[in-house]
PDB file of all heavy atoms in Angstrom:
ATOM      1  N   ASP A   4     -16.968  -2.031 -12.059  1.00  0.00           N
ATOM      2  CA  ASP A   4     -15.978  -1.315 -12.843  1.00  0.00           C
ATOM      3  C   ASP A   4     -14.830  -0.808 -11.940  1.00  0.00           C
ATOM      4  O   ASP A   4     -13.644  -0.814 -12.337  1.00  0.00           O
ATOM      5  CB  ASP A   4     -16.551  -0.129 -13.530  1.00  0.00           C
ATOM      6  CG  ASP A   4     -17.591  -0.606 -14.634  1.00  0.00           C
ATOM      7  OD1 ASP A   4     -17.302  -1.626 -15.287  1.00  0.00           O
ATOM      8  OD2 ASP A   4     -18.562   0.104 -14.821  1.00  0.00           O
ATOM      9  N   ARG A   5     -15.165  -0.474 -10.716  1.00  0.00           N
ATOM     10  CA  ARG A   5     -14.171   0.168  -9.853  1.00  0.00           C
ATOM     11  C   ARG A   5     -14.374  -0.408  -8.421  1.00  0.00           C
ATOM     12  O   ARG A   5     -15.312  -0.030  -7.723  1.00  0.00           O
ATOM     13  CB  ARG A   5     -14.268   1.650  -9.850  1.00  0.00           C
ATOM     14  CG  ARG A   5     -14.003   2.278 -11.250  1.00  0.00           C
ATOM     15  CD  ARG A   5     -14.259   3.783 -11.202  1.00  0.00           C
ATOM     16  NE  ARG A   5     -14.009   4.428 -12.484  1.00  0.00           N
ATOM     17  CZ  ARG A   5     -14.980   4.575 -13.380  1.00  0.00           C
ATOM     18  NH1 ARG A   5     -16.227   4.135 -13.161  1.00  0.00           N
ATOM     19  NH2 ARG A   5     -14.694   5.184 -14.524  1.00  0.00           N
ATOM     20  N   ASN A   6     -13.445  -1.229  -8.043  1.00  0.00           N
ATOM     21  CA  ASN A   6     -13.489  -1.765  -6.672  1.00  0.00           C
ATOM     22  C   ASN A   6     -12.540  -0.893  -5.791  1.00  0.00           C
ATOM     23  O   ASN A   6     -11.320  -0.970  -5.893  1.00  0.00           O
ATOM     24  CB  ASN A   6     -13.030  -3.266  -6.645  1.00  0.00           C
ATOM     25  CG  ASN A   6     -13.169  -3.871  -5.264  1.00  0.00           C
ATOM     26  OD1 ASN A   6     -12.957  -3.240  -4.241  1.00  0.00           O
ATOM     27  ND2 ASN A   6     -13.612  -5.142  -5.281  1.00  0.00           N
ATOM     28  N   TYR A   7     -13.147  -0.176  -4.850  1.00  0.00           N
ATOM     29  CA  TYR A   7     -12.349   0.782  -4.093  1.00  0.00           C
ATOM     30  C   TYR A   7     -11.467   0.210  -3.049  1.00  0.00           C
ATOM     31  O   TYR A   7     -10.514   0.844  -2.602  1.00  0.00           O
ATOM     32  CB  TYR A   7     -13.207   1.917  -3.591  1.00  0.00           C
ATOM     33  CG  TYR A   7     -13.814   2.722  -4.803  1.00  0.00           C
ATOM     34  CD1 TYR A   7     -15.212   2.735  -5.003  1.00  0.00           C
ATOM     35  CD2 TYR A   7     -13.029   3.371  -5.679  1.00  0.00           C
ATOM     36  CE1 TYR A   7     -15.745   3.439  -6.087  1.00  0.00           C
ATOM     37  CE2 TYR A   7     -13.504   4.056  -6.789  1.00  0.00           C
ATOM     38  CZ  TYR A   7     -14.908   4.076  -6.995  1.00  0.00           C
ATOM     39  OH  TYR A   7     -15.401   4.718  -8.039  1.00  0.00           O
ATOM     40  N   VAL A   8     -11.794  -0.975  -2.575  1.00  0.00           N
ATOM     41  CA  VAL A   8     -10.891  -1.619  -1.582  1.00  0.00           C
ATOM     42  C   VAL A   8      -9.591  -2.063  -2.288  1.00  0.00           C
ATOM     43  O   VAL A   8      -8.562  -2.083  -1.696  1.00  0.00           O
ATOM     44  CB  VAL A   8     -11.609  -2.761  -0.853  1.00  0.00           C
ATOM     45  CG1 VAL A   8     -11.777  -3.993  -1.673  1.00  0.00           C
ATOM     46  CG2 VAL A   8     -10.822  -3.057   0.472  1.00  0.00           C
ATOM     47  N   ILE A   9      -9.711  -2.461  -3.536  1.00  0.00           N
ATOM     48  CA  ILE A   9      -8.535  -2.810  -4.315  1.00  0.00           C
ATOM     49  C   ILE A   9      -7.715  -1.521  -4.572  1.00  0.00           C
ATOM     50  O   ILE A   9      -6.484  -1.590  -4.494  1.00  0.00           O
ATOM     51  CB  ILE A   9      -8.910  -3.503  -5.648  1.00  0.00           C
ATOM     52  CG1 ILE A   9      -9.475  -4.867  -5.341  1.00  0.00           C
ATOM     53  CG2 ILE A   9      -7.727  -3.661  -6.578  1.00  0.00           C
ATOM     54  CD1 ILE A   9     -10.019  -5.604  -6.583  1.00  0.00           C
ATOM     55  N   ALA A  10      -8.383  -0.447  -4.844  1.00  0.00           N
ATOM     56  CA  ALA A  10      -7.712   0.857  -5.027  1.00  0.00           C
ATOM     57  C   ALA A  10      -6.901   1.246  -3.750  1.00  0.00           C
ATOM     58  O   ALA A  10      -5.827   1.709  -3.768  1.00  0.00           O
ATOM     59  CB  ALA A  10      -8.713   1.923  -5.361  1.00  0.00           C
ATOM     60  N   ALA A  11      -7.557   0.982  -2.527  1.00  0.00           N
ATOM     61  CA  ALA A  11      -6.880   1.241  -1.282  1.00  0.00           C
ATOM     62  C   ALA A  11      -5.678   0.386  -1.047  1.00  0.00           C
ATOM     63  O   ALA A  11      -4.659   0.782  -0.496  1.00  0.00           O
ATOM     64  CB  ALA A  11      -7.872   1.079  -0.167  1.00  0.00           C
ATOM     65  N   GLU A  12      -5.778  -0.917  -1.532  1.00  0.00           N
ATOM     66  CA  GLU A  12      -4.695  -1.846  -1.410  1.00  0.00           C
ATOM     67  C   GLU A  12      -3.368  -1.379  -2.083  1.00  0.00           C
ATOM     68  O   GLU A  12      -2.285  -1.596  -1.557  1.00  0.00           O
ATOM     69  CB  GLU A  12      -5.129  -3.206  -1.938  1.00  0.00           C
ATOM     70  CG  GLU A  12      -4.099  -4.298  -1.722  1.00  0.00           C
ATOM     71  CD  GLU A  12      -4.544  -5.643  -2.334  1.00  0.00           C
ATOM     72  OE1 GLU A  12      -5.487  -5.666  -3.204  1.00  0.00           O
ATOM     73  OE2 GLU A  12      -3.993  -6.665  -1.924  1.00  0.00           O
ATOM     74  N   TYR A  13      -3.524  -0.732  -3.206  1.00  0.00           N
ATOM     75  CA  TYR A  13      -2.305  -0.171  -3.879  1.00  0.00           C
ATOM     76  C   TYR A  13      -1.529   0.730  -2.920  1.00  0.00           C
ATOM     77  O   TYR A  13      -0.324   0.716  -2.889  1.00  0.00           O
ATOM     78  CB  TYR A  13      -2.767   0.666  -5.107  1.00  0.00           C
ATOM     79  CG  TYR A  13      -3.027  -0.173  -6.377  1.00  0.00           C
ATOM     80  CD1 TYR A  13      -4.313  -0.524  -6.715  1.00  0.00           C
ATOM     81  CD2 TYR A  13      -2.022  -0.553  -7.159  1.00  0.00           C
ATOM     82  CE1 TYR A  13      -4.578  -1.260  -7.874  1.00  0.00           C
ATOM     83  CE2 TYR A  13      -2.220  -1.338  -8.314  1.00  0.00           C
ATOM     84  CZ  TYR A  13      -3.537  -1.657  -8.663  1.00  0.00           C
ATOM     85  OH  TYR A  13      -3.817  -2.367  -9.817  1.00  0.00           O
ATOM     86  N   GLY A  14      -2.246   1.549  -2.193  1.00  0.00           N
ATOM     87  CA  GLY A  14      -1.569   2.433  -1.233  1.00  0.00           C
ATOM     88  C   GLY A  14      -1.099   1.758   0.025  1.00  0.00           C
ATOM     89  O   GLY A  14      -0.019   2.014   0.516  1.00  0.00           O
ATOM     90  N   PHE A  15      -1.906   0.853   0.531  1.00  0.00           N
ATOM     91  CA  PHE A  15      -1.529   0.114   1.774  1.00  0.00           C
ATOM     92  C   PHE A  15      -0.197  -0.644   1.498  1.00  0.00           C
ATOM     93  O   PHE A  15       0.699  -0.553   2.353  1.00  0.00           O
ATOM     94  CB  PHE A  15      -2.611  -0.835   2.119  1.00  0.00           C
ATOM     95  CG  PHE A  15      -2.318  -1.703   3.307  1.00  0.00           C
ATOM     96  CD1 PHE A  15      -2.245  -1.177   4.587  1.00  0.00           C
ATOM     97  CD2 PHE A  15      -2.019  -3.072   3.106  1.00  0.00           C
ATOM     98  CE1 PHE A  15      -1.900  -2.053   5.666  1.00  0.00           C
ATOM     99  CE2 PHE A  15      -1.673  -3.888   4.166  1.00  0.00           C
ATOM    100  CZ  PHE A  15      -1.608  -3.366   5.446  1.00  0.00           C
ATOM    101  N   LYS A  16      -0.127  -1.336   0.442  1.00  0.00           N
ATOM    102  CA  LYS A  16       1.053  -2.093   0.106  1.00  0.00           C
ATOM    103  C   LYS A  16       2.278  -1.223  -0.110  1.00  0.00           C
ATOM    104  O   LYS A  16       3.401  -1.571   0.228  1.00  0.00           O
ATOM    105  CB  LYS A  16       0.821  -3.006  -1.079  1.00  0.00           C
ATOM    106  CG  LYS A  16      -0.066  -4.220  -0.712  1.00  0.00           C
ATOM    107  CD  LYS A  16      -0.140  -5.179  -1.899  1.00  0.00           C
ATOM    108  CE  LYS A  16      -0.954  -6.419  -1.523  1.00  0.00           C
ATOM    109  NZ  LYS A  16      -1.118  -7.391  -2.598  1.00  0.00           N
ATOM    110  N   PHE A  17       2.038  -0.055  -0.766  1.00  0.00           N
ATOM    111  CA  PHE A  17       3.178   0.801  -1.081  1.00  0.00           C
ATOM    112  C   PHE A  17       3.686   1.402   0.258  1.00  0.00           C
ATOM    113  O   PHE A  17       4.937   1.462   0.431  1.00  0.00           O
ATOM    114  CB  PHE A  17       2.709   1.985  -2.039  1.00  0.00           C
ATOM    115  CG  PHE A  17       3.873   2.723  -2.607  1.00  0.00           C
ATOM    116  CD1 PHE A  17       4.574   2.296  -3.722  1.00  0.00           C
ATOM    117  CD2 PHE A  17       4.310   3.925  -2.020  1.00  0.00           C
ATOM    118  CE1 PHE A  17       5.625   2.985  -4.254  1.00  0.00           C
ATOM    119  CE2 PHE A  17       5.384   4.683  -2.550  1.00  0.00           C
ATOM    120  CZ  PHE A  17       6.056   4.112  -3.673  1.00  0.00           C
ATOM    121  N   LEU A  18       2.820   1.795   1.134  1.00  0.00           N
ATOM    122  CA  LEU A  18       3.271   2.269   2.423  1.00  0.00           C
ATOM    123  C   LEU A  18       3.993   1.242   3.206  1.00  0.00           C
ATOM    124  O   LEU A  18       5.049   1.593   3.836  1.00  0.00           O
ATOM    125  CB  LEU A  18       2.039   2.816   3.226  1.00  0.00           C
ATOM    126  CG  LEU A  18       1.441   4.145   2.688  1.00  0.00           C
ATOM    127  CD1 LEU A  18       0.028   4.311   3.339  1.00  0.00           C
ATOM    128  CD2 LEU A  18       2.343   5.314   3.145  1.00  0.00           C
ATOM    129  N   THR A  19       3.511   0.038   3.267  1.00  0.00           N
ATOM    130  CA  THR A  19       4.194  -0.947   4.088  1.00  0.00           C
ATOM    131  C   THR A  19       5.474  -1.516   3.423  1.00  0.00           C
ATOM    132  O   THR A  19       6.397  -1.878   4.159  1.00  0.00           O
ATOM    133  CB  THR A  19       3.255  -2.141   4.351  1.00  0.00           C
ATOM    134  OG1 THR A  19       2.734  -2.711   3.123  1.00  0.00           O
ATOM    135  CG2 THR A  19       2.067  -1.690   5.204  1.00  0.00           C
ATOM    136  N   ASN A  20       5.535  -1.478   2.060  1.00  0.00           N
ATOM    137  CA  ASN A  20       6.747  -1.937   1.416  1.00  0.00           C
ATOM    138  C   ASN A  20       7.876  -0.949   1.325  1.00  0.00           C
ATOM    139  O   ASN A  20       9.021  -1.340   1.354  1.00  0.00           O
ATOM    140  CB  ASN A  20       6.376  -2.437  -0.001  1.00  0.00           C
ATOM    141  CG  ASN A  20       5.562  -3.726  -0.035  1.00  0.00           C
ATOM    142  OD1 ASN A  20       5.587  -4.441   0.969  1.00  0.00           O
ATOM    143  ND2 ASN A  20       4.838  -3.945  -1.093  1.00  0.00           N
ATOM    144  N   TYR A  21       7.491   0.369   1.212  1.00  0.00           N
ATOM    145  CA  TYR A  21       8.534   1.339   0.899  1.00  0.00           C
ATOM    146  C   TYR A  21       8.652   2.440   2.000  1.00  0.00           C
ATOM    147  O   TYR A  21       9.760   2.972   2.260  1.00  0.00           O
ATOM    148  CB  TYR A  21       8.274   2.005  -0.441  1.00  0.00           C
ATOM    149  CG  TYR A  21       8.331   0.975  -1.574  1.00  0.00           C
ATOM    150  CD1 TYR A  21       7.140   0.576  -2.221  1.00  0.00           C
ATOM    151  CD2 TYR A  21       9.532   0.394  -1.960  1.00  0.00           C
ATOM    152  CE1 TYR A  21       7.213  -0.352  -3.277  1.00  0.00           C
ATOM    153  CE2 TYR A  21       9.600  -0.515  -3.005  1.00  0.00           C
ATOM    154  CZ  TYR A  21       8.466  -0.872  -3.630  1.00  0.00           C
ATOM    155  OH  TYR A  21       8.441  -1.817  -4.655  1.00  0.00           O
ATOM    156  N   PHE A  22       7.569   2.850   2.593  1.00  0.00           N
ATOM    157  CA  PHE A  22       7.583   3.864   3.580  1.00  0.00           C
ATOM    158  C   PHE A  22       8.017   3.373   4.991  1.00  0.00           C
ATOM    159  O   PHE A  22       8.561   4.091   5.777  1.00  0.00           O
ATOM    160  CB  PHE A  22       6.234   4.619   3.732  1.00  0.00           C
ATOM    161  CG  PHE A  22       6.039   5.676   2.681  1.00  0.00           C
ATOM    162  CD1 PHE A  22       5.655   5.411   1.373  1.00  0.00           C
ATOM    163  CD2 PHE A  22       6.181   7.065   3.046  1.00  0.00           C
ATOM    164  CE1 PHE A  22       5.510   6.419   0.437  1.00  0.00           C
ATOM    165  CE2 PHE A  22       5.954   8.081   2.181  1.00  0.00           C
ATOM    166  CZ  PHE A  22       5.607   7.751   0.839  1.00  0.00           C
ATOM    167  N   TYR A  23       7.732   2.109   5.231  1.00  0.00           N
ATOM    168  CA  TYR A  23       7.972   1.595   6.580  1.00  0.00           C
ATOM    169  C   TYR A  23       9.441   1.379   6.776  1.00  0.00           C
ATOM    170  O   TYR A  23      10.167   0.872   5.951  1.00  0.00           O
ATOM    171  CB  TYR A  23       7.260   0.227   6.667  1.00  0.00           C
ATOM    172  CG  TYR A  23       7.465  -0.451   8.006  1.00  0.00           C
ATOM    173  CD1 TYR A  23       7.033   0.174   9.178  1.00  0.00           C
ATOM    174  CD2 TYR A  23       8.227  -1.587   8.159  1.00  0.00           C
ATOM    175  CE1 TYR A  23       7.263  -0.435  10.437  1.00  0.00           C
ATOM    176  CE2 TYR A  23       8.464  -2.186   9.386  1.00  0.00           C
ATOM    177  CZ  TYR A  23       7.986  -1.630  10.547  1.00  0.00           C
ATOM    178  OH  TYR A  23       8.187  -2.150  11.710  1.00  0.00           O
ATOM    179  N   ASP A  24       9.905   1.833   7.924  1.00  0.00           N
ATOM    180  CA  ASP A  24      11.308   1.647   8.352  1.00  0.00           C
ATOM    181  C   ASP A  24      11.464   0.367   9.034  1.00  0.00           C
ATOM    182  O   ASP A  24      11.085   0.227  10.277  1.00  0.00           O
ATOM    183  CB  ASP A  24      11.758   2.888   9.237  1.00  0.00           C
ATOM    184  CG  ASP A  24      13.186   2.844   9.650  1.00  0.00           C
ATOM    185  OD1 ASP A  24      13.879   1.781   9.444  1.00  0.00           O
ATOM    186  OD2 ASP A  24      13.698   3.871  10.128  1.00  0.00           O
ATOM    187  N   LYS A  25      12.085  -0.592   8.393  1.00  0.00           N
ATOM    188  CA  LYS A  25      12.188  -1.942   8.962  1.00  0.00           C
ATOM    189  C   LYS A  25      13.177  -2.026  10.113  1.00  0.00           C
ATOM    190  O   LYS A  25      13.142  -2.893  11.013  1.00  0.00           O
ATOM    191  CB  LYS A  25      12.609  -2.948   7.897  1.00  0.00           C
ATOM    192  CG  LYS A  25      11.534  -3.126   6.780  1.00  0.00           C
ATOM    193  CD  LYS A  25      12.102  -4.023   5.612  1.00  0.00           C
ATOM    194  CE  LYS A  25      11.086  -4.151   4.581  1.00  0.00           C
ATOM    195  NZ  LYS A  25      10.823  -2.935   3.868  1.00  0.00           N
ATOM    196  N   ASN A  26      14.100  -1.019  10.204  1.00  0.00           N
ATOM    197  CA  ASN A  26      15.054  -1.049  11.242  1.00  0.00           C
ATOM    198  C   ASN A  26      14.661  -0.317  12.524  1.00  0.00           C
ATOM    199  O   ASN A  26      14.880  -0.808  13.682  1.00  0.00           O
ATOM    200  CB  ASN A  26      16.342  -0.329  10.758  1.00  0.00           C
ATOM    201  CG  ASN A  26      17.017  -1.064   9.624  1.00  0.00           C
ATOM    202  OD1 ASN A  26      17.098  -2.327   9.628  1.00  0.00           O
ATOM    203  ND2 ASN A  26      17.462  -0.380   8.601  1.00  0.00           N
ATOM    204  N   ASN A  27      13.879   0.767  12.363  1.00  0.00           N
ATOM    205  CA  ASN A  27      13.497   1.591  13.525  1.00  0.00           C
ATOM    206  C   ASN A  27      12.075   1.708  13.820  1.00  0.00           C
ATOM    207  O   ASN A  27      11.674   2.246  14.831  1.00  0.00           O
ATOM    208  CB  ASN A  27      14.063   3.000  13.388  1.00  0.00           C
ATOM    209  CG  ASN A  27      15.572   3.040  13.157  1.00  0.00           C
ATOM    210  OD1 ASN A  27      16.313   2.690  14.072  1.00  0.00           O
ATOM    211  ND2 ASN A  27      16.044   3.469  11.942  1.00  0.00           N
TER     212      ASN A  27
END
């Protein structure tokens, strides 16, 4: 019913896609 590594992936991708500063 609940795969917690998939739940973690939601955050991992959000951090790398939006929080990460590609320039600096």
Side-chain angles (χ1 to χ4, degrees):
D4 295 324
R5 299 176 179 89
N6 187 321
Y7 294 117
V8 74
I9 292 176
E12 185 181 17
Y13 278 98
F15 175 73
K16 287 185 174 179
F17 194 83
L18 285 165
T19 54
N20 289 338
Y21 299 107
F22 275 79
Y23 179 65
D24 183 346
K25 297 176 178 65
N26 297 318
N27 302 296

